[in-house]
Amino acid sequence: MLIEAQDAFFLARRSRKDSPHTTVAYRRDLAGVNALVAEAVGAEVDRVALDAVNAKVLREAFGRFADTHAKSSVARAWSTWNQFFQFCVADEIVFGNPMGAIGRPRPAPLSPKPLRGEGTPEQLLEAVAGGARKARAPWPERDLLVLALGLVAGLRASEMRALRRSSVVGRAGERRLFVHGKANRERSIPIEVPLERVIEAYLASCASRFPVARFADESPLVLGSDGGGIGRGALDYLVKACFRAAGMHDRVPAGANLHALRHTFATRLAEDGANAVEIMLLLGHASLNTSQNYIDATGAQRRAAAASNRTYRALAGLTERDGDGSAPPVPGR
């Protein structure tokens, strides 16, 4: 049966130590197409035989799945099903992988989505630190910490939520953030004194805000309003509220939100001369190509190549102003 084979697939993956988020995503990708496969076969999901799931059935199911899902979601589901059938072939449950016959969306080129406006990060931090966000129980120290973790440490939302108090390690002035990233990749991010002070002010605010709470080394670092670890929805809402309170919601690329902070961090690294390896290590990318995208997106190399055009020297002579500040005469007049 299809469901039994999928249960075996997840059992086999236990030794890989997938993160809970990865497992949930895989289960969602399989379940979303399972329902459509069952409709195509004409049976209940738990009654679908694995050998009935052929290329024709999968084409119909993925076609209908694509009608209601974004290209990235279809590509991710295709990848999950491909891994599932690779497992089935390896365990000799089936004798061929039908996913090769199913069209897969071509991924769009990755395009960084930093905050728009050169001074936007600084203005955002200043506004939030000054209490621009008006909430029922304002907590500017926590809001500032979240924005700083994105803008100067490049953390993803999941990484912020995974931080513990013990994640801040090292001596004063030489501290680092120990980050648990995607696919269980871990990295250490050096932090400077200004961020240390933000963390210290935030921890002091926690003590005064929750005077009877007992915080341990393994307590979540970023807290919600109830004193527990902040939830995904609450974190997303917090960042959106900060953008709105600072009057900068129109400077956030569509669909980016908290990730725009991370993209701003990476883009500024590239603009200031960091190479792809340095960016990869600081952001926890799995591929050097992903990090190279930030360097390419800054256009620094393309700008330098364009600026080397010899014709610019002639153009400069035509546009330089005379000593009295007046522009030179336009040829032909």
Side-chain angles (χ1 to χ4, degrees):
M1 292 295 175
L2 175 63
I3 295 299
E4 292 174 354
Q6 291 176 353
D7 289 341
F9 168 67
F10 284 109
L11 182 63
R13 292 192 66 87
R14 287 177 62 182
S15 62
R16 296 172 63 95
K17 303 292 289 184
D18 288 333
S19 71
H21 177 74
T22 298
T23 300
V24 168
Y26 281 7
R27 288 190 180 278
R28 183 172 58 243
D29 291 337
L30 291 175
V33 178
N34 276 350
L36 300 174
V37 165
E39 291 181 17
V41 172
E44 297 295 326
V45 172
D46 58 357
R47 304 298 298 170
V48 174
L50 184 60
D51 57 9
V53 187
N54 53 35
K56 179 180 178 182
V57 167
L58 285 168
R59 271 196 295 267
E60 180 179 341
F62 267 88
R64 294 180 60 191
F65 186 80
D67 289 341
T68 56
H69 290 76
K71 183 183 294 187
S72 58
S73 298
V74 178
R76 189 188 62 235
W78 188 98
S79 178
T80 300
W81 276 81
N82 187 52
Q83 290 184 63
F84 164 63
F85 273 109
Q86 285 176 347
F87 158 76
C88 291
V89 170
D91 262 31
E92 298 183 353
I93 302 174
V94 298
F95 297 102
N97 183 350
M99 293 306 296
I102 313 304
R104 183 184 187 185
R106 183 174 299 177
L110 293 176
S111 178
K113 297 180 178 180
L115 297 173
R116 292 188 284 267
E118 176 59 28
T120 297
E122 291 75 17
Q123 294 166 17
L124 177 63
L125 292 172
E126 184 176 358
V128 170
R133 184 185 172 207
K134 307 301 181 185
R136 180 176 302 175
W139 196 353
E141 297 89 354
R142 193 269 313 272
D143 297 348
L144 183 62
L145 173 67
V146 167
L147 297 180
L149 289 174
L151 287 170
V152 301
L155 267 59
R156 303 176 176 95
S158 59
E159 293 169 346
M160 289 189 197
R161 296 180 59 229
L163 287 177
R164 297 293 179 260
R165 291 192 168 214
S166 60
S167 299
V168 184
V169 300
R171 299 177 298 181
E174 299 178 356
R175 291 199 171 101
R176 307 180 309 281
L177 281 178
F178 188 74
V179 180
H180 190 79
K182 291 177 66 174
N184 291 320
R185 290 189 295 271
E186 297 174 338
R187 67 187 188 277
S188 180
I189 303 174
I191 61 176
E192 298 298 317
V193 172
L195 181 53
E196 287 186 23
R197 291 173 179 165
V198 168
I199 294 173
E200 290 168 359
Y202 162 73
L203 292 177
S205 75
C206 291
S208 60
R209 198 175 186 91
F210 308 105
V212 298
R214 296 178 127 186
F215 296 116
D217 286 346
E218 293 310 304
S219 296
L221 178 63
V222 183
L223 302 181
S225 58
D226 61 353
I230 192 167
R232 182 185 302 177
L235 182 59
D236 189 63
Y237 176 80
L238 184 158
V239 176
K240 288 181 179 178
C242 287
F243 287 140
R244 288 196 302 270
M248 297 177 181
H249 56 280
D250 58 342
R251 304 188 197 180
V252 185
N257 198 26
L258 191 148
H259 223 59
L261 306 179
R262 175 175 164 86
H263 284 193
T264 301
F265 169 74
T267 300
R268 285 191 162 189
L269 286 177
E271 289 173 342
D272 293 339
N275 61 44
V277 173
E278 292 167 336
I279 294 173
M280 180 178 73
L281 293 175
L282 287 171
L283 274 82
H285 289 151
S287 168
L288 193 62
N289 291 335
T290 304
S291 305
Q292 184 65 41
N293 284 333
Y294 290 97
I295 295 176
D296 294 341
T298 64
Q301 295 175 341
R302 290 195 296 273
R303 178 176 290 277
S308 66
N309 189 328
R310 294 193 303 273
T311 309
Y312 265 117
R313 292 197 289 271
L315 185 61
L318 294 175
T319 57
E320 287 175 353
R321 293 185 176 274
D322 293 336
D324 60 359
S326 61
V330 178
R333 290 190 180 180

